[in-house]
Amino acid sequence: MSENSTPDWSSEFEHYKKLSREVVTNEDIINFFNQHQKAFYLDSFSSSWANMMEAYELKESLSSDQLNKLEEMQWQEMPESLKLFAYDFCIKNGFCFTATSS
C-alpha cells in the first residue's frame, strides 16, 4: 500500500475546522452535526464522543436506558439538545480542534 492511500487526518481536521468557522447560529450547529458525522469521531485518541455522551448523560440526568436509546438513534434523528451539546463538546472545545502545537 502506498502512503497516499491512507487518509491524512490532520488535513481532515483542517477541513472540519474551516467548516466550523462558518457555524454561528444553533441552526448552523444542527446542520453541521447532521452533515459531518465524521467530524465528531476524528479525535479517537481521547474518545471525545464517549466522553461527551457521559457529560450529556450527567447534564440531562439520563438513565442508562435513555442513554442507550440515544445511542441507538439514527444520527440525524438525535435530539437538538444533544447536537448542540456535542458540537460544543467535540468541535468547539474538542482537544484536536483547539490544540495548537507549542
Side-chain angles (χ1 to χ4, degrees), residues 9 19 23 34 71:
W9 64 267
L19 287 176
V23 173
N34 288 342
E71 290 180 334

Side-chain angles (χ1 to χ4, degrees), residues 9-73:
W9 64 267
S10 63
S11 66
E12 285 194 66
F13 277 118
E14 286 310 311
H15 171 71
Y16 290 120
K17 207 172 192 173
K18 196 184 280 180
L19 287 176
S20 73
R21 290 191 189 111
E22 309 294 313
V23 173
V24 180
T25 66
N26 282 356
E27 191 181 343
D28 293 339
I29 291 173
I30 290 163
N31 288 333
F32 183 95
F33 184 96
N34 288 342
Q35 294 166 18
H36 305 292
Q37 180 173 359
K38 190 173 186 183
F40 293 86
Y41 291 96
L42 283 176
D43 188 2
S44 57
F45 297 111
S46 68
S47 311
S48 58
W49 180 260
N51 293 339
M52 180 283 299
M53 287 302 276
E54 282 177 28
Y56 185 76
E57 177 185 15
L58 291 173
K59 177 185 173 280
E60 299 290 326
S61 304
L62 300 176
S63 69
S64 54
D65 280 353
Q66 289 171 309
L67 190 65
N68 289 339
K69 282 192 179 99
L70 272 181
E71 290 180 334
E72 289 168 7
M73 287 179 125

